[in-house]
Amino acid sequence: GTTLRAAAAEKGRYFGAAVATGKLSDNTYATVLNREFNSVVAENEMKWDATEPQQGRFSYGGGDRLVSHARANGMSVRGHALLWHQQQPSWAQGLSGSALRNAAINHVTQVATHFRGQIYAWDVVNEAFADGGSGGRRDSNLQRTGNDWIEAAFRAARAADPGAKLCYNDYNTDGINAKSTGIYNMVRDFKSRGVPIDCVGFQSHLGTTIPGDYQANLQRFADLGVEVQITELDVMTGGNQANIYAAVTRACLAVSRCTGITVWGVRDCDSWRGSDNALLFDCSGNKKAAYNAVLDAL
Ligand code: XIL
C-alpha cells in the first residue's frame, strides 16, 4: 500500500486519526485525512461536555458531522468517550451520589443510542485508573458513586448499542506496570463475570522511549479474549520518533487481536502536544520521517 489506510487494510487493520470537526473545511487537513486514514475519532465532540451541555439536553452536531464525513469517505468511527473524569459539563461536576450515577448512566444510554449502528468501538470509560504504584482506581466524582460504576456503564452501553465494541481506554499503560496490571485484573474479572467488555485502548502518548515489553503487554490483554487497539498515539519529537512509531506499528501487527492504530491528530500543529511535534505530518501536511517509518512497518 502507498497510504497508511491501504497498507493497514492489507494487514486487516485500520489506521485512524483524531479529528477536530472544525478543521474538515481546511483543504490541506481534509486532503491528508481522506487520503491516509480509514478510521476517525472525535478529538472533543463526543465527550460529555460537548454532547450534554445541560442536563438532559443533548447536542450531537459535531459528532453527527464526523459520522457523515466518515461514511462519505469509507472510514469507521471510534466513539470517545462516554464517561471520563475530565471534560464533564459543569452541571455534572456539581452532582454526587445517586444523582450523579443516574445522570452518568443516562448519558451513556442516550449517547450510545443516538449513534447506534455507526460506531465501531466506544471508549465507554476513559482514564479511571490511578497513576503510580497503587494499581487502583483514580479518585473522581464517578468513582465516589461506587466501585461498580464502570461495569454499570458497560452494561448500559451494551444495551444501547449491541453492535459496538465496548472498550476501556487509558494512558501510561504502555508496558507491564502497576497501572496496566490493575486494568488487566479488572478486564479479567469482567470477562469471568460476564460484564460486557470487548476491547482495551492503549492511548500511547509517548515521550522519547518505549517500554521494551510494549508488545508483551498488548499480548497479555489479548490473551484475556479482548481486542486491543492503539487509540491516541503520538510521540515526542527527537532522534527516536520514527523508530518509536515503527515499534508501535510492529507490535500491533504482531498481536493478532490488535485491530488498529489511531494517531491523536493529523499535522504537528493540530496536536494537543504543541511543540512536541508529535504527529506524522508537518504543519504543511508533508509526510515526516515518522510517516515513512510507519508505512514501512505496515
Ligand atoms: C485532549 C484533546 O486533544 C484536547 O483538544 C482537549 O483540550 C483535551 O483533551 N486523553 C484523552 C483525550 O483521552 O480525550 C485527550 O484529548 C488527550 C488525553
Side-chain angles (χ1 to χ4, degrees), residues 36-69:
E36 298 290 341
F37 299 96
N38 59 1
S39 173
V40 288
V41 59
E43 189 173 0
N44 290 297
E45 290 87 338
M46 291 195 198
K47 293 173 179 175
W48 197 351
D49 58 354
T51 51
E52 196 180 1
Q54 299 167 270
Q55 187 167 14
R57 306 276 289 260
F58 291 85
S59 158
Y60 295 120
D64 287 346
R65 265 193 297 285
L66 185 61
V67 168
S68 61
H69 184 90

Side-chain angles (χ1 to χ4, degrees), residues 18 20 42-44 47 80-81 84 86-87 123 126-127 169-171 203 205 231-232 234 264-265 270-273:
E43 189 173 0
N44 290 297
K47 293 173 179 175
H80 174 82
W84 188 24
Q86 288 187 21
Q87 290 181 272
D123 292 331
N126 195 34
E127 301 185 352
N169 191 53
D170 216 327
Y171 68 94
Q203 292 185 8
H205 296 294
T231 53
E232 304 185 13
D234 49 23
W264 203 245
D270 302 315
S271 171
W272 73 308
R273 294 183 58 168

Side-chain angles (χ1 to χ4, degrees), residues 231-247:
T231 53
E232 304 185 13
L233 180 61
D234 49 23
V235 181
M236 188 180 293
T237 197
N240 283 325
Q241 186 180 52
N243 292 335
I244 293 171
Y245 265 108

Side-chain angles (χ1 to χ4, degrees), residues 38 99 118 148 169 207 220 225-226 230 271 274 280:
N38 59 1
Q118 321 210 60
D148 62 343
N169 191 53
R220 72 171 173 154
V226 288
I230 313 307
S271 171
L280 299 177

Side-chain angles (χ1 to χ4, degrees), residues 100-177:
L100 176 60
R101 171 68 72 97
N102 293 339
I105 298 302
N106 182 58
H107 180 77
V108 170
T109 299
Q110 295 301 323
V111 177
T113 298
H114 176 81
F115 292 107
R116 176 169 50 211
Q118 321 210 60
I119 303 295
Y120 170 69
W122 263 114
D123 292 331
V124 178
V125 170
N126 195 34
E127 301 185 352
F129 275 72
D131 291 313
S134 77
R137 299 285 181 85
R138 168 195 300 281
D139 179 57
S140 72
N141 60 343
L142 291 164
Q143 181 62 27
R144 289 191 291 272
T145 71
N147 203 54
D148 62 343
W149 72 278
I150 297 182
E151 61 193 86
F154 276 82
R155 292 187 200 280
R158 179 69 96 228
D161 186 356
K165 293 182 188 291
L166 305 182
C167 301
Y168 176 82
N169 191 53
D170 216 327
Y171 68 94
N172 280 350
T173 53
D174 310 303
I176 297 176
N177 58 39

Side-chain angles (χ1 to χ4, degrees), residues 178-219:
K179 184 175 181 179
S180 62
T181 298
I183 295 163
Y184 176 87
N185 289 336
M186 179 187 75
V187 174
R188 191 176 52 185
D189 170 58
F190 280 13
K191 294 296 279 184
S192 76
R193 291 191 295 111
V195 178
I197 185 167
D198 307 302
C199 38
V200 175
F202 299 82
Q203 292 185 8
S204 300
H205 296 294
L206 297 171
T208 55
T209 60
I210 179 170
D213 54 5
Y214 186 91
Q215 180 183 320
N217 187 49
L218 297 181
Q219 187 66 59

